[in-house]
Amino acid sequence: MNQIKYLFHYKKYGMLRYLSHLETMKMIDRALRRTGIELKQTEGFHQRTKISFAQALPTGIIDLAGLFVVTTFEEIDVSRLKEANKLCPRGCEFVKAEKVDEKFKLSRFVDGYEFKLIFLKEPEDASFDIEKKGEIWIARIFRSFNSSIPKNGEYGQFLTIRSQAITGGAN
Amino acid sequence: MNVLKKLVNVLDKVQKPSRYIGGEYNSVRKKDSKINLCLVFPDLYDVGMSHFGMSILYDVVNSSSFASCERAYLPWLDMQEEMKKEGIPLYSLESYRPLDKFDVIGFTLQYEMSYPNVLRALKLANIPIHRNERDDTYPIVIAGGPCTVNPAPMEEFIDAFFVGDGEEGIIEMLKIINEGGNKRHKLEKLSTIQGVYVPGISEKASKRFVSRMPNAPTAQIVPYTNTIHDRGVVEILRGCTHGCRFCQAGMIYRPVRERSYQEIVDLSRKIVKFTGYEEISLLSLSSADHSQIKELMSHLKEIKNVSFSIPSTRVDALSVELANAVSGVRKSGITLAPEAGSQRLMDVINKGITEEQIFEALKHAKNSGWSRIKLYFMLGLPTESDEDVMAIGEMLQKVKKMGFKNVSATLGVFVPKPHTPFQFASQIEPEEAYRRYKLISWAHKYAKINFTDPRKALIEGVLSRGDSSIGKVIEKAEKKNLVFPDWNETFNPDEWMKIFEEENVNLKRISASKDVKDVFPWDKIDVGVLKGYLWLEYQKALKGTLTQDCRNGCTGCGVCQRFGVKNVLAGRKAPDPLKVSVEKVSGEGI
């Protein structure tokens, strides 16, 4: 059977930001299983889908730039993805699934991430790139792949959002 | 009260916040129902979400036309503290509604050690704990589950207990409560339902039975948290008729009702589809008993990408065979429960197995590639002598010498339970338990022996066979923050002993052996099995005489004759119940 490698882009928001990385992985695995799409499994007796996730997020952060790679035995078109989204709990959404090369590696694909820190009062750290929007202040920061992620409240921020993945690297 | 808004301020501060966020896949938010029930499992989410009974009732109620069912669990201590600080009451995981906004609160009482947790849950919900302090403005508080067979210790707190299979009863109860009227009126009407015991109104109550396996939930809630049993569940049979004399489940869940293998396979397929679970547990008290277990195992193999597990505890070759079938190549550990070390004592408890069979099963396990083995034993069973205790050590030694790499044994102190033949038996005191335990300290070199604190068994014994005066103890325990007593990190036996002393609990009297003529606090609950039958079984136990499994011939316990039910086997016809006149088995005679 033909194997196809897919790069999934997903969002995780609302109450689901309180899932740990492991819980997120499990939640996504089970959502994919419910679709009935035939997915490559890991070796060994206990059933697990072979999924590679990009960099883990600490609990509490909203993720608009989640990425993972799976191998399927069938095409996933837009309508299939739409169906899959109906099988996700509220707060989890597959944005797109793109075919990638067999040798595709997330660690080479992602250069880093942009984070948005939401403040309810003007932040003290002046080194941020800050924008005021109504009653809140939004600071943007960039972190390279696999470097430390701003923890919730670390800078006195009210909320942390992983807003986008910066890609275009060596793949 | 906007719970959600306030939750945002606390969820970043607690461990495993996913326990508290709700909205899990397949959870049901049913709006505009005439009557709203919140089921509460009085323990941590991780434990409660692993319990299948609540999943059944959730499905039954939410499938009804008029009622909704939501869920709540007892938050861990860190979350309780944050909730108090923030002014968040205990809320449901579907609509984030405070519990006091529901019409009915339903607790499941699965183990006695959760009693203080029930009171804590009510307090967190700002609901008075005593039933007589709750007027018409508060929800009606009901309770179900195995512990209701002795409602006495909890009867100051619960408005109505439901004893037995709840699938039909819960709907009948909700209908009556929905009809309106004041609380007293509702409770009086509830007391007329079979299975319901209303403290202060009912004099007696009989258990409720469903005659065959009812419909089962397939769109089961999928938790985010790593719960204790994080998998789909198919209940393959209910009840167990081996007749082990210590076992409460084996007495109060009679008769046996099996689901056909075709139905089990069908349910399994649906569960995989609706949940995405990668594992399904075949639930029962004794899976190897299923009359179609061979057909079942071969057909389950056809379901792809899912593994099956069996909570197997019997020690026979077939159970090992089953464990082999579900475990595939990765044979890590197998758990078996001989319960006693000597043949004599195994006969006393009516285990219905010989030492020879046990070692045959063990040999089979060894040959099939199992390297780790875990054995369960009880200490302090009726008539136990020092020789019987030594026999546990000898068994461990023999098992180790068979070549198992890793042998571990769990030793718990036997707790006599209501509505079992051993309800008449005495419970050994903690000092005596330690003495017996030390008799096999030489066996530590053959097995890792875990000895459960015998004071835990003492507390459990008091809560199990206690009367209504024990309510005071439970109340005090909650006040002293002795919640989650089943968890090692929160178990504080010294404080419990203090409470027993302060409340003048007569431990000797509760733990002592009893006579058939004694009146028990739980006599008012009729679970079907006759007290006279239990007494006869106890007498047979003392003589070491065996009683057969009633699937091979009726033993006259009274359940089938008195409640018009019988064993339902999927693969063959079960023998008919003995024709005894109802007068003879009415329970008054013997």
Side-chain angles (χ1 to χ4, degrees):
Chain A
M1 237 184 302
N2 249 357
Q3 298 193 6
I4 316 168
K5 209 166 181 175
Y6 275 102
L7 169 66
F8 271 76
H9 299 248
Y10 71 94
K11 290 181 188 173
K12 189 185 72 158
Y13 48 86
M15 292 303 258
L16 292 197
R17 75 181 166 98
Y18 293 108
L19 301 196
S20 69
H21 182 60
L22 281 172
E23 290 167 348
T24 305
M25 288 166 59
K26 196 175 68 179
M27 182 260 295
I28 285 178
D29 183 2
R30 287 177 178 166
L32 289 173
R33 282 172 179 279
R34 292 192 284 267
T35 65
I37 296 168
E38 211 181 319
L39 300 157
K40 194 170 180 179
Q41 302 291 303
T42 56
E43 313 261 316
F45 181 73
H46 279 270
Q47 298 296 328
R48 285 269 176 264
T49 309
K50 202 171 153 97
I51 308 185
S52 357
F53 279 81
Q55 191 174 357
L57 271 188
T59 308
I61 296 182
I62 293 172
D63 195 3
L64 304 178
L67 296 168
F68 65 86
V69 174
V70 283
T71 304
T72 71
F73 298 97
E74 57 186 291
E75 297 262 346
I76 301 174
D77 57 15
V78 178
S79 70
R80 204 73 210 267
L81 200 68
K82 232 179 176 172
E83 278 169 42
N85 273 325
K86 284 188 195 145
L87 302 171
C88 283
R90 198 172 359 144
C92 172
E93 199 183 305
F94 299 128
V95 182
K96 64 176 174 181
E98 48 183 326
K99 270 188 211 174
V100 289
D101 189 75
E102 208 186 306
K103 288 181 198 132
F104 177 86
K105 276 241 162 19
L106 274 167
S107 53
R108 274 182 284 148
F109 177 68
V110 183
D111 293 336
Y113 292 100
E114 180 201 71
F115 290 87
K116 281 184 184 169
L117 313 182
I118 312 290
F119 293 86
L120 299 181
K121 55 179 187 215
E122 192 164 5
E124 283 158 24
D125 195 328
S127 67
F128 293 141
D129 163 18
I130 297 167
E131 179 191 353
K132 186 162 191 260
K133 254 192 181 172
E135 295 296 298
I136 58 168
W137 286 262
I138 304 171
R140 284 165 206 274
I141 55 171
F142 174 82
R143 291 292 160 93
S144 58
F145 193 69
N146 275 351
S147 67
S148 75
I149 286 170
K151 286 181 194 67
N152 246 355
E154 191 179 342
Y155 302 97
Q157 79 270 30
F158 171 67
L159 212 59
T160 314
I161 303 168
R162 180 158 79 174
S163 45
Q164 59 172 311
I166 312 296
T167 61
N171 254 295
Chain B
M1 165 75 54
N2 193 332
V3 169
L4 259 182
K5 227 173 174 176
K6 290 190 168 186
L7 270 181
V8 177
N9 298 328
V10 305
L11 288 178
D12 278 319
K13 300 176 192 161
V14 297
Q15 286 175 12
K16 282 207 194 179
S18 65
R19 290 165 176 159
Y20 311 116
I21 63 176
E24 305 95 319
Y25 191 75
N26 283 333
S27 61
V28 179
R29 171 83 181 91
K30 199 174 167 189
K31 286 178 186 155
D32 305 321
S33 292
K34 289 188 187 123
I35 181 161
N36 302 301
L37 160 72
C38 187
L39 287 179
V40 186
F41 194 100
D43 210 318
L44 194 60
Y45 179 89
D46 313 29
V47 181
M49 269 304 281
S50 308
H51 175 242
F52 190 57
M54 226 162 108
S55 168
I56 295 176
L57 296 182
Y58 188 80
D59 183 58
V60 167
V61 176
N62 281 326
S63 306
S64 78
S65 59
F66 69 105
S68 79
C69 179
E70 304 193 6
R71 296 160 301 136
Y73 304 86
L74 189 64
W76 189 248
L77 298 169
D78 61 342
M79 181 64 172
Q80 289 187 21
E81 208 150 291
E82 295 296 336
M83 286 166 73
K84 260 185 241 161
K85 264 193 238 160
E86 232 10 84
I88 304 172
L90 189 59
Y91 59 92
S92 73
L93 293 178
E94 279 76 11
S95 63
Y96 308 98
R97 229 181 312 180
L99 258 59
D100 63 349
K101 298 284 176 281
F102 283 82
D103 304 297
V104 187
I105 306 286
F107 284 100
T108 174
L109 305 178
Q110 291 296 312
Y111 31 88
E112 296 83 1
M113 295 298 262
S114 69
Y115 289 169
N117 298 354
V118 172
L119 305 192
R120 175 58 58 88
L122 287 172
K123 281 193 177 173
L124 286 175
N126 303 317
I127 297 173
I129 58 169
H130 299 106
R131 60 179 162 85
N132 55 18
E133 289 169 15
R134 296 191 294 262
D135 58 18
D136 293 342
T137 61
Y138 287 104
I140 293 209
V141 178
I142 62 176
C147 295
T148 61
V149 299
N150 179 16
M154 287 296 282
E155 68 179 27
E156 282 311 307
F157 315 115
I158 304 293
D159 294 314
F161 293 88
F162 184 87
V163 189
D165 302 314
E167 284 93 342
E168 297 163 356
I170 188 75
I171 294 293
E172 292 166 21
M173 289 179 88
L174 291 174
K175 271 189 183 151
I176 282 180
I177 296 170
N178 187 39
E179 280 167 13
N182 63 24
K183 182 177 171 185
R184 173 82 197 181
H185 174 77
K186 286 176 192 164
L187 290 177
E188 270 169 9
K189 278 178 91 179
L190 284 177
S191 72
T192 62
I193 298 175
Q194 190 191 331
V196 175
Y197 172 77
V198 180
I201 294 177
S202 313
E203 269 173 37
K204 281 188 152 195
S206 311
K207 197 197 128 181
R208 187 62 178 267
F209 298 84
V210 292
S211 56
R212 43 188 62 249
M213 282 297 265
N215 289 339
T218 48
Q220 297 168 7
I221 298 175
V222 187
Y224 304 115
T225 316
N226 223 349
T227 55
I228 304 218
H229 300 302
D230 188 5
R231 54 201 179 205
V233 177
V234 182
E235 188 187 15
I236 66 169
L237 69 99
R238 197 175 288 184
C240 173
T241 47
H242 281 284
C244 298
R245 290 171 179 137
F246 59 87
C247 179
Q248 194 183 47
M251 295 293 151
I252 66 171
Y253 291 125
R254 291 170 175 226
V256 162
R257 287 140 294 170
E258 291 183 352
R259 213 182 274 290
S260 74
Y261 80 85
Q262 293 95 332
E263 205 188 330
I264 296 168
V265 171
D266 183 50
L267 285 170
S268 303
R269 281 188 204 281
K270 284 185 180 144
I271 291 168
V272 170
K273 184 169 178 233
F274 295 148
T275 64
Y277 271 127
E278 54 294 299
E279 183 182 339
I280 287 180
S281 173
L282 304 176
L283 185 70
S284 76
L285 289 167
S286 182
S287 297
D289 288 344
H290 196 289
S291 59
Q292 297 174 316
I293 194 73
K294 291 211 167 100
E295 291 96 318
L296 177 61
M297 294 323 289
S298 71
H299 282 87
L300 287 178
K301 280 190 197 127
E302 294 161 14
I303 307 178
K304 274 200 291 183
N305 292 344
V306 63
S307 53
F308 289 89
S309 63
I310 291 179
S312 162
T313 51
R314 283 193 70 79
V315 205
D316 50 33
L318 185 56
S319 298
V320 173
E321 199 49 55
L322 268 183
N324 286 347
V326 296
S327 71
V329 283
R330 205 190 68 134
K331 291 192 178 58
S332 48
I334 187 166
T335 302
L336 301 168
E339 323 283 5
S342 71
Q343 184 65 59
R344 191 196 71 78
L345 203 49
M346 283 181 216
D347 292 347
V348 167
I349 64 177
N350 201 40
K351 191 74 192 165
I353 196 157
T354 62
E355 261 188 285
E356 219 181 328
Q357 284 170 305
I358 290 180
F359 280 98
E360 206 177 291
L362 289 169
K363 210 168 115 193
H364 188 42
K366 178 77 189 40
N367 292 340
S368 319
W370 298 93
S371 59
R372 281 194 301 141
I373 188 149
K374 195 171 169 187
L375 298 160
Y376 274 115
F377 296 97
M378 277 185 279
L379 216 54
L381 285 162
T383 77
E384 183 181 74
S385 66
D386 287 359
E387 287 74 45
D388 296 315
V389 179
M390 293 296 271
I392 295 175
E394 283 151 19
M395 189 184 278
L396 294 175
Q397 181 181 16
K398 259 165 120 181
V399 173
K400 182 68 187 178
K401 287 197 168 152
M402 286 174 78
F404 285 101
K405 214 195 277 167
N406 191 324
V407 184
S408 72
T410 299
L411 238 62
V413 173
F414 162 68
V415 179
K417 291 285 168 99
H419 300 286
T420 66
F422 287 174
Q423 67 178 358
F424 303 104
S426 60
Q427 179 174 350
I428 60 169
E429 288 174 21
E431 298 75 42
E432 174 62 10
Y434 277 119
R435 188 192 69 81
R436 294 191 194 182
Y437 167 61
K438 281 184 191 138
L439 290 176
I440 51 163
S441 52
W442 56 272
H444 278 282
K445 60 173 173 283
Y446 303 110
K448 186 178 177 301
I449 304 176
N450 303 303
F451 183 48
T452 317
D453 192 327
R455 287 174 299 178
K456 198 174 232 175
L458 177 65
I459 300 164
E460 201 186 318
V462 170
L463 298 177
S464 297
R465 288 200 294 181
D467 58 20
S468 54
S469 70
I470 298 304
K472 289 265 181 299
V473 171
I474 300 165
E475 213 178 314
K476 210 162 196 180
E478 188 281 331
K479 263 191 206 145
K480 288 192 166 184
N481 208 23
L482 300 179
V483 291
F484 295 113
D486 238 359
W487 295 73
N488 287 338
E489 57 264 57
T490 42
F491 179 53
N492 190 338
D494 294 336
E495 284 295 319
W496 279 92
M497 298 308 134
K498 251 194 241 165
I499 297 177
F500 287 153
E501 221 176 280
E502 289 162 8
E503 293 297 323
N504 294 315
V505 177
N506 192 337
L507 295 176
K508 284 233 157 42
R509 196 177 57 91
I510 295 177
S511 301
S513 65
K514 294 159 192 355
D515 191 81
V516 68
K517 292 191 199 88
D518 291 339
V519 176
F520 299 144
W522 56 91
D523 280 345
K524 53 195 170 196
I525 303 298
D526 180 356
V527 300
V529 180
L530 294 161
K531 191 174 182 180
Y533 176 80
L534 296 176
W535 178 252
L536 286 180
E537 275 295 296
Y538 183 52
Q539 298 308 312
K540 281 171 89 177
L542 298 179
K543 286 188 228 121
T545 313
L546 294 173
T547 297
Q548 70 174 340
D549 183 327
C550 73
R551 270 166 306 188
N552 303 325
C554 177
T555 57
C557 74
V559 170
C560 296
Q561 291 89 347
R562 300 173 61 233
F563 289 94
V565 287
K566 56 182 182 184
N567 287 332
V568 179
L569 306 185
R572 65 179 169 92
K573 194 180 173 299
D576 286 325
L578 285 173
K579 286 205 173 41
V580 193
S581 69
V582 177
E583 291 77 57
K584 246 189 188 158
V585 289
S586 67
E588 310 299 332
I590 324 170

